[in-house]
DNA sequence: AATCTGTCTATTGTCGATAAAAGACAAAAG
DNA sequence: CTTTTGTCTTTTATCGACAATAGACAGATT
């Protein structure tokens, strides 16, 4: 197979959600915009909806015939893009599995293990290399540098530089900048999670990323914002991997975030710096603890 | 053709240089180490040296029969690796040619223009994307963000953060660290170029990279060091492209480097910071001037 | 005993081919 | 005259194949 039709399957599933709540579908371009796919894919979706008897489609008439049921959806395994599959597979290997620093990475072996072509693996490794966890020996193998203590220290050093600067820049955003509204929304979710911390503490990971990305964006610097990808991926898999004391850690981080948010809103540089440093310090400690 | 034998050709040329100065060649592993290639390539080189009558090779006996002449070398166009060719070609397009920001980049078109396969172009673009000049729309084209004023400002902002910190770290390197010797060597080249500035001002570009990379390395942070690649490539092509007032600019930068070097050697934090800021400021101005 | 060479295998870098997806354009519908 | 649809072309994502290169191992040489 030359290309997986995951875009189609994923958009189809999302279209079913839309379909659950309306009696008819909008025009092809509009539906394309809603699902973020091209008209070609929209038409493929409409064709299939008709085939499985969900839709009566004739030109502009797109009438929903019945509510979709679970069996209409494509299984989730089939909707992940290849690069997501590779990333998960690879991260499991290097974080969970006993992967020693210095180990060689074999493209062919990885490809066979995941069951995909070598080109996709190569492209993944090239993209992944910017995270500083692997390194290429030209004309030869990749070397795993590993998720080591040094790695964590270097990562957090840059993170702290960037975030302190971004937080300071945040204070200078004009009052009508949408970031302030987003900050309000983020704060509200913090309170919601804290109110039901026992059940919802695992929601923190996603919220953490959303908050810090917002702060980094205030730098208006593409290198700072792009670097946040590195932090995000490390923390993302770190949270998945290390769940000891997750409840307490996350509760504490949530409180720190709230202090940080309130400092940002005060626009007082020294309060911001203090709250930011405080939080970054405990984030660093958490990360380091998980390594040893 | 599946793979260009540029490694072979380049190593062959370098081997001819070695051959100009000895009467016989060392063992295969040793030669491989000298040329940084595998034994397979060494043997291919030896085979060809024998074919063209430069060497009498029988097992351990590798006797030079005559001095190599210009015609023995492979032409330089054939020794560049594919990625170097793509990079040059691409940079010429986006820096020299009238490439508007927002323009679409077409993989197939680029590949055909350069006369190579699409896979190589794709891999190049993925690697290149970390420089922040292009961006991918998934399942669709790349977008040229362009070498704009914003780009230069964002680049220099991060550069200044990183370099100030690296310079400060430099002062704490132990006296026996090899960086101090390299610093001496670099300083000597500065004096040599300044003494013959009229003829040698174009040598500055390479020296500049060597010096700043040395400073960045003192950070001992892979993200800082890796980021220097972005700076290096931008300045590299910038120097090639914009040669107005190059002599004066470079002379000034050389003087600033000397002050910077002397400050580093003093290990006095405030002197270092001052000299570093001074130089970074004029580097930024130079870069910005070339954009408008 | 250490290193070198001969030989063989494994892996990378690059290509062209092909299905999925994006997108262009004109005719049709409002 | 603006938007939608039908149709067609172009481009991307992925694959498998193959030459260049790296690398492993055993026997030969010093």
């Amino acid at each position: 197979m030359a290309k997986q039709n995951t875009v189609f399957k994923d958009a189809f599933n999302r279209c079913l959600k839309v379909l659950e709540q309306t009696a008819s579908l909008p025009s092809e371009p509009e539906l394309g915009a809603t699902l973020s796919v091209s008209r070609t894919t929209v038409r493929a979706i409409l064709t299939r909806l008709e085939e499985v008897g969900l839709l009566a489609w004739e030109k502009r008439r797109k009438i929903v015939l019945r509510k979709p049921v679970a069996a209409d959806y494509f299984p989730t395994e089939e909707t992940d893009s290849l690069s997501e599959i590779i990333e998960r597979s690879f991260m499991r290997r290097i974080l969970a599995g006993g992967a020693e620093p210095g180990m060689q990475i074999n493209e062919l072996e990885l490809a066979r293990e995941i069951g995909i072509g070598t080109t996709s693996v190569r492209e993944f490794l090239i993209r992944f290399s910017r995270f500083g966890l692997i390194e290429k020996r030209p004309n030869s193998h990749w070397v795993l540098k590993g998720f080591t203590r040094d790695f964590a220290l270097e990562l957090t050093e840059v993170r702290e530089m960037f975030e302190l600067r971004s937080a300071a820049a945040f204070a200078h955003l004009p009052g009508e900048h949408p970031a302030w509204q987003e900050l309000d929304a983020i704060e509200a979710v913090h309170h919601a999670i804290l109110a039901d911390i026992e059940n919802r503490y695992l929601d923190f990971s996603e919220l953490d990323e959303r908050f810090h990305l917002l702060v980094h964006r205030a730098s208006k610097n593409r290198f700072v914002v792009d670097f946040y990808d590195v932090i995000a991926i490390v923390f993302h898999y770190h949270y998945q991997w290390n769940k000891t004391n997750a409840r307490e850690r996350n509760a504490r981080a949530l409180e720190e975030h709230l202090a940080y948010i309130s400092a940002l809103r005060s626009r007082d540089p020294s309060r911001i710096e203090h709250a930011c440093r405080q939080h970054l310090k405990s984030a660093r400690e958490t990360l380091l603890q998980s390594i040893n």
Side-chain angles (χ1 to χ4, degrees), chain A residues 55-224:
Chain A
L55 194 77
W57 176 32
E58 203 224 346
K59 306 202 168 180
R60 309 194 176 205
R61 286 213 129 69
K62 309 186 188 74
I63 297 160
V64 178
L65 295 179
R66 61 175 178 86
K67 291 293 166 202
V69 296
D72 292 320
Y73 288 83
F74 283 104
T76 35
E77 313 91 75
E78 293 178 24
T79 62
D80 287 342
S81 83
L82 202 38
S83 43
E84 289 168 331
I85 294 170
I86 304 178
E87 184 188 295
R88 259 206 310 281
S89 197
F90 185 74
M91 288 304 271
R92 182 162 39 231
R93 255 175 95 115
I94 73 169
L95 282 183
E100 315 294 318
M103 207 184 69
Q104 294 183 11
I105 297 166
N106 186 315
E107 293 177 2
L108 202 59
E109 191 187 318
L110 256 178
R112 276 196 287 244
E113 195 178 294
I114 310 177
I116 59 176
T118 49
T119 311
S120 308
V121 170
R122 277 176 71 79
E123 291 187 0
F124 167 76
L125 292 172
I126 294 170
R127 265 179 281 124
F128 191 78
S129 64
R130 76 193 196 84
F131 296 138
L133 285 164
I134 61 175
E135 207 174 60
K136 178 128 192 70
R137 300 289 145 85
N139 286 310
S140 182
H141 49 258
W142 291 81
V143 176
L144 177 63
K145 302 183 77 180
F147 190 64
T148 61
R149 188 175 179 81
D150 279 347
F151 175 81
L153 288 171
E154 293 166 32
L155 179 75
T156 49
E157 181 184 9
V158 174
R159 183 204 184 163
E160 286 164 23
M161 263 189 269
F162 282 176
E163 186 150 350
L164 280 166
R165 180 172 281 241
S166 303
F170 204 105
H172 294 104
L173 293 177
E176 68 276 13
H177 194 285
W180 291 109
Q181 285 171 39
E182 169 75 349
L183 191 67
D184 292 342
I186 287 173
E187 187 181 32
V189 182
H190 276 77
H191 286 302
I193 295 182
L194 270 174
D196 187 19
I197 185 74
E198 295 298 333
N199 298 312
R200 295 193 57 191
Y201 68 91
L202 287 175
D203 295 354
F204 172 71
S205 165
E206 201 185 320
L207 183 62
D208 187 57
E209 179 173 341
R210 186 172 162 203
F211 172 55
H212 288 289
L213 184 55
L214 179 70
V215 174
H216 279 78
R217 283 225 189 85
S219 71
K220 291 184 180 140
N221 186 307
R222 73 191 73 183
F223 299 105
V224 173

